[in-house]
Amino acid sequence: MRRVTLEDIYVHPISQKYIRRSGMAHAISVAHYSYELAKEHNVNPDLAAKAGFLHDIGHYTWYNNGEWDYDQYKAFDIHPIKGAERAHKLLVRLGEDKHAAKEIAHAVLFHTESALPVGEFERSPLQEVVHLADELDKQPDDAHHYRQIDRKNELQRVRDLDNKLDQSAALTGS
């Protein structure tokens, strides 16, 4: 049985503050892609969906004169590091299994190349799923961070994915 649902994460004020900053529609889409890819790659879909949803929780807003400053973002951003910390802390507070919280935090940390160590690095299957899901949802000029859907639709999409996750857990007995 799942201890923490996506809805639990979605409604939390920390998620509303930090995930909304980087794009709630993007986070929900990446959670859905992560779920689908997890099934294809024999990865725990619950962990994948949660990591997909939380992957950008560490974003800082890099603006200069009201415009997104991609050069500053590329030079100074550590959102995967900050995001891993925030995701882990939030999940533990919500009562998530501590091993699961750590795996999810690592997937957040390694979802993008900006946090990878120098040299060869091999992502775990969960980390790779979240990375691929994020790549699938990207749009030119970072438009994926600015897509909007209304809050009622956001919550419905989160609940729909929670239902799929519950059905998957019932089928696998996990």
Side-chain angles (χ1 to χ4, degrees):
M1 174 156 178
R2 299 173 17 184
R3 291 184 183 192
V4 175
T5 65
L6 283 173
E7 185 173 352
D8 295 332
I9 299 167
Y10 169 81
V11 300
H12 197 280
I14 295 295
S15 296
Q16 288 297 313
K17 178 179 180 178
Y18 293 112
I19 295 174
R20 194 157 298 286
R21 173 189 286 174
S22 62
M24 190 62 76
H26 173 58
I28 293 168
S29 290
V30 174
H32 278 272
Y33 282 128
S34 294
Y35 168 78
E36 294 298 333
L37 289 166
K39 293 189 313 181
E40 292 174 25
H41 294 274
N42 200 27
V43 169
N44 182 312
D46 182 51
L47 300 185
K50 288 172 182 171
F53 182 73
L54 292 166
H55 80 283
D56 276 343
I57 195 170
H59 261 284
Y60 179 79
T61 51
W62 294 103
Y63 287 94
N64 188 5
N65 297 323
E67 296 287 321
W68 178 256
D69 190 328
Y70 191 71
D71 291 333
Q72 280 193 58
Y73 167 77
K74 286 193 70 141
F76 307 117
D77 185 68
I78 61 164
H79 86 272
I81 297 167
K82 188 66 177 173
E85 176 192 20
R86 282 185 184 145
H88 186 264
K89 187 174 183 179
L90 174 62
L91 290 166
V92 170
R93 280 186 176 174
L94 287 171
E96 183 64 81
D97 173 80
K98 288 178 181 62
H99 294 289
K102 183 177 179 180
E103 280 191 65
I104 293 166
H106 279 147
V108 170
L109 177 62
F110 297 119
H111 82 273
T112 183
E113 283 77 15
S114 66
L116 293 179
V118 176
E120 287 193 35
F121 179 81
E122 189 174 327
R123 289 182 175 99
S124 73
L126 174 61
Q127 295 162 6
E128 185 64 20
V129 159
V130 176
H131 168 71
L132 292 172
D134 186 32
E135 291 297 315
L136 283 171
D137 198 56
K138 284 191 176 172
Q139 296 176 322
D141 299 321
D142 289 322
H144 54 282
H145 289 294
Y146 302 104
R147 266 193 338 255
Q148 298 289 320
I149 56 176
D150 64 79
R151 290 184 188 221
K152 184 178 176 183
N153 193 354
E154 288 173 0
L155 183 56
Q156 188 57 53
R157 291 189 65 204
V158 167
R159 286 177 174 161
D160 290 346
L161 187 50
D162 267 334
N163 287 334
K164 289 178 181 180
L165 289 163
D166 288 340
Q167 291 170 4
S168 291
L171 290 173
T172 61
S174 57

